[in-house]
Amino acid sequence: FIMGDNLPIKFQEHVTLTNVGISADNVGFSTLTMESDKYICVREKVGDKAEVVIVEMADASNPTRRPISADSAIMNPASKVIALKAAKTLQIFNLEMKAKVKTHNMPEDVVFWRWINVNTIVIVTENAVYHWSMDGADAPVKQFDRHASLAGTQIINYRVNHDLSWLLLIGISAKEGRVVGSMQLYSVEKKVSQPLEGHAGAFAQFKVPTNPQPSNLFCIAARTAAGGKLHVIEVGTPAAGNQPFAKKSVDLYFPAEVPNDFPVAMQVSARYDIVFLITKFGYVHLYDIESGTCLYMNRISMDTIFVTAPYEATGGIIGVNRKGQVLSVSVDETNLVPYVTNTLQNADLALHLAVRNNLPGAEDGFKT
Amino acid sequence: FSLSLVFMAGRKVFKKASPNDALVAYIGKRDFYDHGSHVDPIDGVVSIDMSALKNKKVFARLQVSFNYGMEDLDLLGMNIHKVLLTKYFQVYPPEEDMQPTKLQKKLMKKLGESAFPFLFQLPPGVPSSVTLQSTADKASGRRCGVDYELAFYLANTEASKLKKRSTVRLNVRKLTYIQPNAEAPPPSATVEKSFFMSSKPVIVTATLNKELYYHGQPVSVNVKIDNQSAKSIKGIHLEARQFATLRAQDSVKGMNTKCVLAAIDSTVGFPLKPGASTTCEYSITPSAFKNQTQAHLAFDGQLKDEDTNLASSTQLTHTSMDQNIGIVVSYEIKVKVLVAGMSGDVSVKVPFSLATPKNDFRKLSVNLKHTKRQPAAQQSPLPSFAEETPEQQPAVVHQIEPTKPDFNVPEEERHILDYNFDELEQTDAFEIVFEDFVRGRAEKFFGKEESDNEDD
């Protein structure tokens, strides 16, 4: 792929994990986790000893290793706290304080878990979804029972909105020659689940300029038998004084050379109100959340990017591909507005983005 | 024969230097007792090489840490610990109102002007030194227990990072002394159990001969069985059991361990027919040595690989201190009466206390281990005895005839020495014998040298 001077994104390669002592065999969904842009956790076998390698992104060339006997390791998104799981046993350690923070034995096997914020872990079993706070002495608290439509799927992600009132469980399964995404959207307030077809999803708060309060938006990307779609919809009742957010639905474009591609990851940049979408075959798509317009798409990796997180430094997205490259994509503040004006030929959107995000490049637009 | 004579000849003082010899620490003993009302002051002196000071101060630090990582239970290989207590004492420049103890006076007189005293006074109820036995690979260096460490170091402020070259580290122990209470009634418990299809119960009463036992003492258990049921009683099973609860912090559910220390199975006098009753007497000895390999067994704080006793029963203060106790240890005798048929057995549990006799002299001096006059056949089965190589032997070997081949099986409560260094004051005729520790020996005796990085 070619990165020209006038592209609306910045692409950065942070580190290649195989260059800092991590075996390529261990760069994969089941052995590598990245809960935030701060740490990457890799489980490795050295001889007959199992180790966890913690790569602190601020000092990526000096990973630390510790012996473990766990089948999963996830670093807290913000602090030097690691959660480990071995079948039903869960333990949280504070690496800096050298303390065991918490321990719990689940009654059933844990099929998926991750940190959903700085002090909460989601635990997904075959039957239900739990939230476990690392504070206090509480055991994991059940949030909802899993919907039958996700039975037999591989759970690949779990998302929550800003106040944990909307929860989303995502699983995939192979059906009729394609990978089907199954989602369960759950409203904590209404205690109701809704099954959906979709591969990647995320929640966002977006303030419509004419509304007094931000709207709670849910973005869902799916490639169904009928084609690819991105939907941006408001969940719940609009806040007092707000006009409802008008639902946006746009086609997801998949090039002919990758007929089996589908979305795998989504991060919404709160800084730019832009949806970053990553596909199985290494494409990145950028969408304006307000209008649903596709701003840019390009292939950034020939290898599957199997894990992503928000890239806080730039309001972008960071991920790891099968080769062990840690990559980030961010908005190029200088080029975005001129790109929308010139390449997309959408002067209205360019002006709108410039005003909304305080970006340069729309001066010509003001003159006309 | 008087044991006290043994110690009149020379008062042993432990001595250890920092790697650069700037500081030399002297302590009179390694074991400090919590008497319930007070804790022995932890005192000694530090001899300072004034030319190494360079405007720095000398501090002493007492740190009580709870290492509660369990190799076989934790998913992460890490020495996890919590500092339960840190106390500092400025050794130099000295505090003006410091009143030296008898030991300190004696040592300062002997060592001269560059020796300065330090003293830590702990409140009663701080956790005692306890080590949980790990069955895991010892090479990992991970251990579980409450440890006391003294550190002496050159620094600008007390909280400065410790530098290995100018630091002396000594592990000491805080042990629990339990005053025997002659008026306490012997512990006893009764259980009544009725069976399906049988209107009358089996009544079992177990009574111990006293509440408090010293290490190695047998526990006499009197068992009364009144079999009013229609079932026959086949036999009896007794266990001496130790319980330990790890309390690291409120949010982590404490781990509980249970170890069977000794067990007796008997059918003598059985079966006991329906309607019959009997009284039998059993003797069971809770012993550390039979349980060397049992995982999670709690010992009185272990210094390196040295032999030690089973952990003394924890004396809870029933104050907020108990929340932070580290490892809580308790004991009980369980008597199980085995009832014929499928209807289940009758169990009764009686708690008792286990304690270290005050100033167990065996722990006070390494030299006792080198008593060559002890016949081989009578050698105490302590594994560390044989590990000492001849060149590690100290200069002075006390002339001691041990009273018993195995100190852990006293029949009577031992004669208890009260060591308060009174003898030091009386006359200069009583010599101080310095136990000098060179690197390898010190490591064995006081524990591993820590690395420069405190956080490793």
Short mmCIF file of all heavy atoms in Angstrom, two decimals, chain A residues 91-140:
data_model
loop_
_atom_site.label_atom_id
_atom_site.label_comp_id
_atom_site.label_asym_id
_atom_site.label_seq_id
_atom_site.Cartn_x
_atom_site.Cartn_y
_atom_site.Cartn_z
N GLN A 91 -7.39 -14.50 39.38
CA GLN A 91 -6.61 -13.77 40.38
C GLN A 91 -6.15 -12.45 39.79
O GLN A 91 -5.80 -12.38 38.62
CB GLN A 91 -5.39 -14.59 40.84
CG GLN A 91 -5.78 -15.85 41.59
CD GLN A 91 -4.60 -16.70 42.03
OE1 GLN A 91 -3.47 -16.47 41.59
NE2 GLN A 91 -4.86 -17.67 42.89
N ILE A 92 -6.15 -11.42 40.62
CA ILE A 92 -5.67 -10.11 40.20
C ILE A 92 -4.47 -9.74 41.08
O ILE A 92 -4.55 -9.84 42.30
CB ILE A 92 -6.77 -9.03 40.33
CG1 ILE A 92 -8.03 -9.44 39.55
CG2 ILE A 92 -6.26 -7.69 39.83
CD1 ILE A 92 -9.20 -8.49 39.74
N PHE A 93 -3.38 -9.35 40.44
CA PHE A 93 -2.18 -8.97 41.16
C PHE A 93 -1.81 -7.54 40.84
O PHE A 93 -1.90 -7.12 39.69
CB PHE A 93 -0.99 -9.86 40.76
CG PHE A 93 -1.17 -11.31 41.09
CD1 PHE A 93 -1.77 -12.17 40.20
CD2 PHE A 93 -0.72 -11.81 42.30
CE1 PHE A 93 -1.94 -13.51 40.50
CE2 PHE A 93 -0.88 -13.15 42.61
CZ PHE A 93 -1.48 -14.00 41.71
N ASN A 94 -1.37 -6.82 41.84
CA ASN A 94 -0.80 -5.50 41.62
C ASN A 94 0.71 -5.68 41.54
O ASN A 94 1.36 -6.00 42.54
CB ASN A 94 -1.20 -4.56 42.77
CG ASN A 94 -0.73 -3.16 42.51
OD1 ASN A 94 0.34 -2.93 41.95
ND2 ASN A 94 -1.54 -2.19 42.91
N LEU A 95 1.27 -5.50 40.36
CA LEU A 95 2.69 -5.80 40.15
C LEU A 95 3.57 -4.77 40.85
O LEU A 95 4.67 -5.09 41.29
CB LEU A 95 3.01 -5.81 38.66
CG LEU A 95 2.29 -6.89 37.85
CD1 LEU A 95 2.50 -6.67 36.36
CD2 LEU A 95 2.78 -8.27 38.25
N GLU A 96 3.10 -3.54 40.95
CA GLU A 96 3.90 -2.50 41.59
C GLU A 96 3.91 -2.67 43.11
O GLU A 96 4.94 -2.57 43.75
CB GLU A 96 3.36 -1.13 41.21
CG GLU A 96 4.44 -0.15 40.81
CD GLU A 96 3.97 0.75 39.69
OE1 GLU A 96 2.86 1.29 39.82
OE2 GLU A 96 4.71 0.90 38.70
N MET A 97 2.74 -2.95 43.66
CA MET A 97 2.61 -3.09 45.11
C MET A 97 2.99 -4.49 45.57
O MET A 97 3.05 -4.76 46.77
CB MET A 97 1.17 -2.83 45.54
CG MET A 97 0.59 -1.53 45.06
SD MET A 97 1.04 -0.18 46.12
CE MET A 97 -0.02 -0.51 47.52
N LYS A 98 3.21 -5.38 44.62
CA LYS A 98 3.50 -6.78 44.94
C LYS A 98 2.42 -7.36 45.83
O LYS A 98 2.69 -7.96 46.88
CB LYS A 98 4.86 -6.92 45.59
CG LYS A 98 5.98 -6.57 44.64
CD LYS A 98 7.29 -7.04 45.19
CE LYS A 98 8.35 -7.05 44.12
NZ LYS A 98 9.54 -7.74 44.55
N ALA A 99 1.20 -7.14 45.44
CA ALA A 99 0.09 -7.60 46.27
C ALA A 99 -0.89 -8.40 45.42
O ALA A 99 -1.03 -8.14 44.23
CB ALA A 99 -0.62 -6.41 46.90
N LYS A 100 -1.52 -9.37 46.07
CA LYS A 100 -2.62 -10.05 45.42
C LYS A 100 -3.86 -9.23 45.73
O LYS A 100 -4.20 -9.02 46.88
CB LYS A 100 -2.76 -11.47 45.95
CG LYS A 100 -3.56 -12.36 45.01
CD LYS A 100 -4.02 -13.63 45.68
CE LYS A 100 -2.89 -14.58 46.02
NZ LYS A 100 -3.39 -15.84 46.60
N VAL A 101 -4.48 -8.71 44.70
CA VAL A 101 -5.59 -7.78 44.92
C VAL A 101 -6.87 -8.56 45.20
O VAL A 101 -7.64 -8.23 46.10
CB VAL A 101 -5.77 -6.87 43.69
CG1 VAL A 101 -6.95 -5.94 43.88
CG2 VAL A 101 -4.50 -6.08 43.43
N LYS A 102 -7.07 -9.59 44.42
CA LYS A 102 -8.34 -10.30 44.53
C LYS A 102 -8.22 -11.69 43.93
O LYS A 102 -7.40 -11.91 43.05
CB LYS A 102 -9.42 -9.53 43.77
CG LYS A 102 -10.61 -9.18 44.64
CD LYS A 102 -11.57 -8.28 43.95
CE LYS A 102 -12.92 -8.50 44.59
NZ LYS A 102 -13.88 -7.48 44.24
N THR A 103 -9.04 -12.58 44.40
CA THR A 103 -9.06 -13.91 43.83
C THR A 103 -10.48 -14.45 43.88
O THR A 103 -11.25 -14.10 44.76
CB THR A 103 -8.04 -14.84 44.56
OG1 THR A 103 -8.21 -16.16 44.11
CG2 THR A 103 -8.21 -14.79 46.06
N HIS A 104 -10.84 -15.22 42.88
CA HIS A 104 -12.20 -15.77 42.84
C HIS A 104 -12.22 -17.07 42.05
O HIS A 104 -11.51 -17.20 41.07
CB HIS A 104 -13.17 -14.76 42.19
CG HIS A 104 -14.58 -15.22 42.22
ND1 HIS A 104 -15.34 -15.19 43.37
CD2 HIS A 104 -15.38 -15.74 41.25
CE1 HIS A 104 -16.54 -15.68 43.10
NE2 HIS A 104 -16.60 -16.02 41.83
N ASN A 105 -13.04 -17.98 42.50
CA ASN A 105 -13.26 -19.21 41.74
C ASN A 105 -14.65 -19.19 41.15
O ASN A 105 -15.64 -19.16 41.89
CB ASN A 105 -13.08 -20.44 42.64
CG ASN A 105 -11.62 -20.70 42.91
OD1 ASN A 105 -10.78 -20.61 42.02
ND2 ASN A 105 -11.30 -20.96 44.16
N MET A 106 -14.72 -19.19 39.81
CA MET A 106 -16.02 -19.17 39.14
C MET A 106 -16.62 -20.57 39.20
O MET A 106 -15.89 -21.56 39.13
CB MET A 106 -15.85 -18.75 37.68
CG MET A 106 -15.50 -17.30 37.48
SD MET A 106 -16.84 -16.18 37.97
CE MET A 106 -18.03 -16.47 36.64
N PRO A 107 -17.93 -20.65 39.29
CA PRO A 107 -18.55 -21.99 39.29
C PRO A 107 -18.46 -22.68 37.93
O PRO A 107 -18.56 -23.89 37.84
CB PRO A 107 -20.00 -21.72 39.69
CG PRO A 107 -20.21 -20.25 39.49
CD PRO A 107 -18.89 -19.57 39.54
N GLU A 108 -18.31 -21.91 36.84
CA GLU A 108 -18.18 -22.55 35.53
C GLU A 108 -17.01 -21.94 34.75
O GLU A 108 -16.49 -20.89 35.11
CB GLU A 108 -19.49 -22.45 34.73
CG GLU A 108 -20.10 -21.07 34.74
CD GLU A 108 -21.38 -20.99 33.92
OE1 GLU A 108 -21.63 -21.87 33.09
OE2 GLU A 108 -22.12 -20.02 34.09
N ASP A 109 -16.61 -22.61 33.69
CA ASP A 109 -15.47 -22.16 32.91
C ASP A 109 -15.70 -20.78 32.33
O ASP A 109 -16.81 -20.41 31.97
CB ASP A 109 -15.20 -23.14 31.76
CG ASP A 109 -14.40 -24.33 32.23
OD1 ASP A 109 -13.78 -24.25 33.31
OD2 ASP A 109 -14.40 -25.36 31.53
N VAL A 110 -14.61 -20.03 32.24
CA VAL A 110 -14.66 -18.69 31.67
C VAL A 110 -14.23 -18.79 30.21
O VAL A 110 -13.14 -19.29 29.91
CB VAL A 110 -13.73 -17.75 32.46
CG1 VAL A 110 -13.70 -16.37 31.82
CG2 VAL A 110 -14.18 -17.66 33.91
N VAL A 111 -15.09 -18.34 29.30
CA VAL A 111 -14.76 -18.48 27.88
C VAL A 111 -14.16 -17.18 27.31
O VAL A 111 -13.48 -17.20 26.28
CB VAL A 111 -15.98 -18.91 27.03
CG1 VAL A 111 -16.45 -20.28 27.48
CG2 VAL A 111 -17.11 -17.90 27.11
N PHE A 112 -14.41 -16.07 27.98
CA PHE A 112 -13.85 -14.80 27.51
C PHE A 112 -13.84 -13.84 28.69
O PHE A 112 -14.72 -13.89 29.54
CB PHE A 112 -14.73 -14.21 26.39
CG PHE A 112 -14.23 -12.89 25.85
CD1 PHE A 112 -13.26 -12.85 24.85
CD2 PHE A 112 -14.72 -11.68 26.35
CE1 PHE A 112 -12.79 -11.64 24.37
CE2 PHE A 112 -14.25 -10.47 25.87
CZ PHE A 112 -13.29 -10.44 24.88
N TRP A 113 -12.80 -13.01 28.71
CA TRP A 113 -12.79 -11.95 29.72
C TRP A 113 -11.94 -10.81 29.24
O TRP A 113 -11.08 -10.98 28.37
CB TRP A 113 -12.36 -12.47 31.08
CG TRP A 113 -10.90 -12.81 31.26
CD1 TRP A 113 -10.01 -13.22 30.31
CD2 TRP A 113 -10.19 -12.77 32.50
NE1 TRP A 113 -8.80 -13.47 30.88
CE2 TRP A 113 -8.88 -13.19 32.22
CE3 TRP A 113 -10.54 -12.42 33.80
CZ2 TRP A 113 -7.90 -13.27 33.21
CZ3 TRP A 113 -9.57 -12.51 34.78
CH2 TRP A 113 -8.27 -12.93 34.48
N ARG A 114 -12.20 -9.63 29.75
CA ARG A 114 -11.36 -8.48 29.44
C ARG A 114 -11.69 -7.36 30.43
O ARG A 114 -12.70 -7.39 31.13
CB ARG A 114 -11.57 -7.99 28.01
CG ARG A 114 -12.98 -7.53 27.68
CD ARG A 114 -12.99 -6.77 26.37
NE ARG A 114 -12.08 -5.63 26.47
CZ ARG A 114 -11.83 -4.77 25.49
NH1 ARG A 114 -12.39 -4.95 24.31
NH2 ARG A 114 -11.04 -3.76 25.67
N TRP A 115 -10.78 -6.39 30.47
CA TRP A 115 -11.05 -5.20 31.27
C TRP A 115 -12.00 -4.31 30.47
O TRP A 115 -11.75 -4.07 29.27
CB TRP A 115 -9.77 -4.43 31.56
CG TRP A 115 -8.82 -5.12 32.49
CD1 TRP A 115 -7.83 -5.98 32.16
CD2 TRP A 115 -8.79 -5.00 33.92
NE1 TRP A 115 -7.17 -6.42 33.29
CE2 TRP A 115 -7.74 -5.82 34.38
CE3 TRP A 115 -9.55 -4.29 34.86
CZ2 TRP A 115 -7.42 -5.95 35.73
CZ3 TRP A 115 -9.22 -4.42 36.20
CH2 TRP A 115 -8.17 -5.24 36.63
N ILE A 116 -13.07 -3.82 31.11
CA ILE A 116 -13.97 -2.91 30.40
C ILE A 116 -13.76 -1.47 30.85
O ILE A 116 -14.20 -0.54 30.19
CB ILE A 116 -15.45 -3.31 30.54
CG1 ILE A 116 -15.83 -3.51 32.01
CG2 ILE A 116 -15.73 -4.55 29.71
CD1 ILE A 116 -17.31 -3.74 32.22
N ASN A 117 -13.10 -1.29 31.97
CA ASN A 117 -12.63 0.03 32.38
C ASN A 117 -11.51 -0.18 33.39
O ASN A 117 -11.10 -1.32 33.61
CB ASN A 117 -13.77 0.93 32.89
CG ASN A 117 -14.51 0.32 34.07
OD1 ASN A 117 -13.90 -0.30 34.94
ND2 ASN A 117 -15.83 0.47 34.08
N VAL A 118 -11.05 0.89 34.03
CA VAL A 118 -9.84 0.76 34.85
C VAL A 118 -10.03 -0.10 36.09
O VAL A 118 -9.06 -0.54 36.69
CB VAL A 118 -9.26 2.13 35.26
CG1 VAL A 118 -8.74 2.86 34.05
CG2 VAL A 118 -10.29 2.96 36.02
N ASN A 119 -11.28 -0.34 36.50
CA ASN A 119 -11.43 -1.21 37.67
C ASN A 119 -12.45 -2.32 37.52
O ASN A 119 -12.84 -2.93 38.52
CB ASN A 119 -11.71 -0.39 38.95
CG ASN A 119 -12.85 0.58 38.74
OD1 ASN A 119 -13.66 0.38 37.85
ND2 ASN A 119 -12.88 1.63 39.53
N THR A 120 -12.84 -2.61 36.29
CA THR A 120 -13.85 -3.66 36.11
C THR A 120 -13.44 -4.64 35.01
O THR A 120 -12.97 -4.23 33.95
CB THR A 120 -15.22 -3.05 35.75
OG1 THR A 120 -15.49 -1.99 36.65
CG2 THR A 120 -16.33 -4.09 35.84
N ILE A 121 -13.66 -5.91 35.31
CA ILE A 121 -13.41 -6.98 34.34
C ILE A 121 -14.76 -7.60 33.98
O ILE A 121 -15.60 -7.80 34.85
CB ILE A 121 -12.48 -8.05 34.95
CG1 ILE A 121 -11.07 -7.50 35.12
CG2 ILE A 121 -12.46 -9.32 34.11
CD1 ILE A 121 -10.13 -8.43 35.85
N VAL A 122 -14.95 -7.88 32.68
CA VAL A 122 -16.11 -8.66 32.29
C VAL A 122 -15.69 -10.12 32.23
O VAL A 122 -14.57 -10.44 31.80
CB VAL A 122 -16.71 -8.21 30.95
CG1 VAL A 122 -15.73 -8.39 29.81
CG2 VAL A 122 -18.00 -8.99 30.65
N ILE A 123 -16.54 -10.99 32.71
CA ILE A 123 -16.30 -12.43 32.68
C ILE A 123 -17.47 -13.07 31.93
O ILE A 123 -18.62 -12.90 32.33
CB ILE A 123 -16.20 -12.99 34.12
CG1 ILE A 123 -15.02 -12.35 34.86
CG2 ILE A 123 -16.09 -14.50 34.11
CD1 ILE A 123 -15.10 -12.50 36.36
N VAL A 124 -17.14 -13.76 30.85
CA VAL A 124 -18.19 -14.40 30.06
C VAL A 124 -18.05 -15.91 30.20
O VAL A 124 -16.96 -16.46 29.97
CB VAL A 124 -18.10 -13.99 28.57
CG1 VAL A 124 -19.24 -14.60 27.77
CG2 VAL A 124 -18.09 -12.47 28.43
N THR A 125 -19.11 -16.56 30.60
CA THR A 125 -19.12 -18.03 30.65
C THR A 125 -20.05 -18.52 29.53
O THR A 125 -20.58 -17.72 28.77
CB THR A 125 -19.63 -18.53 32.01
OG1 THR A 125 -21.03 -18.24 32.12
CG2 THR A 125 -18.89 -17.88 33.16
N GLU A 126 -20.23 -19.82 29.45
CA GLU A 126 -21.12 -20.36 28.42
C GLU A 126 -22.56 -19.87 28.62
O GLU A 126 -23.35 -19.84 27.68
CB GLU A 126 -21.10 -21.89 28.44
CG GLU A 126 -19.84 -22.52 27.87
CD GLU A 126 -19.62 -22.23 26.39
OE1 GLU A 126 -20.54 -21.75 25.70
OE2 GLU A 126 -18.49 -22.48 25.90
N ASN A 127 -22.88 -19.50 29.85
CA ASN A 127 -24.27 -19.18 30.14
C ASN A 127 -24.58 -17.73 30.46
O ASN A 127 -25.70 -17.30 30.28
CB ASN A 127 -24.75 -20.04 31.33
CG ASN A 127 -24.70 -21.51 31.00
OD1 ASN A 127 -25.20 -21.92 29.96
ND2 ASN A 127 -24.06 -22.29 31.85
N ALA A 128 -23.59 -17.01 30.96
CA ALA A 128 -23.93 -15.67 31.44
C ALA A 128 -22.72 -14.74 31.36
O ALA A 128 -21.60 -15.16 31.07
CB ALA A 128 -24.44 -15.75 32.88
N VAL A 129 -23.01 -13.46 31.62
CA VAL A 129 -21.97 -12.41 31.60
C VAL A 129 -21.95 -11.75 32.98
O VAL A 129 -23.00 -11.41 33.54
CB VAL A 129 -22.30 -11.37 30.50
CG1 VAL A 129 -21.36 -10.17 30.60
CG2 VAL A 129 -22.22 -12.02 29.13
N TYR A 130 -20.74 -11.59 33.53
CA TYR A 130 -20.56 -11.03 34.87
C TYR A 130 -19.63 -9.83 34.79
O TYR A 130 -18.74 -9.78 33.94
CB TYR A 130 -19.91 -12.06 35.80
CG TYR A 130 -20.67 -13.35 35.94
CD1 TYR A 130 -20.57 -14.34 34.96
CD2 TYR A 130 -21.48 -13.59 37.06
CE1 TYR A 130 -21.27 -15.54 35.08
CE2 TYR A 130 -22.19 -14.78 37.18
CZ TYR A 130 -22.08 -15.75 36.19
OH TYR A 130 -22.76 -16.93 36.32
N HIS A 131 -19.83 -8.89 35.71
CA HIS A 131 -18.85 -7.81 35.90
C HIS A 131 -18.19 -8.02 37.26
O HIS A 131 -18.86 -8.30 38.24
CB HIS A 131 -19.52 -6.43 35.86
CG HIS A 131 -19.92 -6.02 34.47
ND1 HIS A 131 -20.50 -4.81 34.21
CD2 HIS A 131 -19.80 -6.64 33.27
CE1 HIS A 131 -20.74 -4.71 32.90
NE2 HIS A 131 -20.33 -5.82 32.32
N TRP A 132 -16.88 -7.86 37.29
CA TRP A 132 -16.12 -8.08 38.53
C TRP A 132 -15.29 -6.83 38.81
O TRP A 132 -14.41 -6.48 38.00
CB TRP A 132 -15.21 -9.30 38.36
CG TRP A 132 -14.59 -9.79 39.62
CD1 TRP A 132 -15.09 -9.70 40.88
CD2 TRP A 132 -13.33 -10.48 39.74
NE1 TRP A 132 -14.24 -10.30 41.78
CE2 TRP A 132 -13.16 -10.78 41.11
CE3 TRP A 132 -12.35 -10.88 38.82
CZ2 TRP A 132 -12.03 -11.46 41.57
CZ3 TRP A 132 -11.25 -11.56 39.28
CH2 TRP A 132 -11.08 -11.85 40.65
N SER A 133 -15.58 -6.19 39.90
CA SER A 133 -14.83 -4.99 40.27
C SER A 133 -13.57 -5.40 41.02
O SER A 133 -13.60 -6.29 41.87
CB SER A 133 -15.68 -4.09 41.15
OG SER A 133 -14.88 -3.06 41.68
N MET A 134 -12.44 -4.77 40.69
CA MET A 134 -11.23 -5.10 41.44
C MET A 134 -11.21 -4.39 42.80
O MET A 134 -10.39 -4.69 43.65
CB MET A 134 -9.96 -4.79 40.64
CG MET A 134 -9.67 -3.34 40.39
SD MET A 134 -8.11 -3.14 39.49
CE MET A 134 -7.06 -2.54 40.80
N ASP A 135 -12.11 -3.46 43.01
CA ASP A 135 -12.23 -2.79 44.32
C ASP A 135 -13.18 -3.59 45.20
O ASP A 135 -14.07 -4.27 44.71
CB ASP A 135 -12.77 -1.37 44.15
CG ASP A 135 -11.91 -0.54 43.20
OD1 ASP A 135 -10.69 -0.76 43.20
OD2 ASP A 135 -12.47 0.31 42.48
N GLY A 136 -12.99 -3.44 46.50
CA GLY A 136 -13.90 -4.08 47.43
C GLY A 136 -13.76 -5.59 47.45
O GLY A 136 -12.83 -6.14 46.86
N ALA A 137 -14.67 -6.23 48.14
CA ALA A 137 -14.54 -7.67 48.35
C ALA A 137 -15.57 -8.46 47.54
O ALA A 137 -15.70 -9.66 47.70
CB ALA A 137 -14.71 -7.99 49.84
N ASP A 138 -16.31 -7.76 46.66
CA ASP A 138 -17.42 -8.42 45.99
C ASP A 138 -16.97 -9.47 44.97
O ASP A 138 -15.97 -9.29 44.29
CB ASP A 138 -18.29 -7.39 45.27
CG ASP A 138 -19.04 -6.51 46.27
OD1 ASP A 138 -19.14 -6.92 47.44
OD2 ASP A 138 -19.48 -5.43 45.86
N ALA A 139 -17.76 -10.51 44.88
CA ALA A 139 -17.59 -11.52 43.84
C ALA A 139 -18.14 -10.94 42.53
O ALA A 139 -18.82 -9.91 42.54
CB ALA A 139 -18.34 -12.78 44.24
N PRO A 140 -17.84 -11.57 41.40
CA PRO A 140 -18.42 -11.11 40.14
C PRO A 140 -19.96 -11.05 40.22
O PRO A 140 -20.58 -11.91 40.83
CB PRO A 140 -17.96 -12.18 39.14
CG PRO A 140 -16.70 -12.73 39.73
CD PRO A 140 -16.91 -12.70 41.22
#
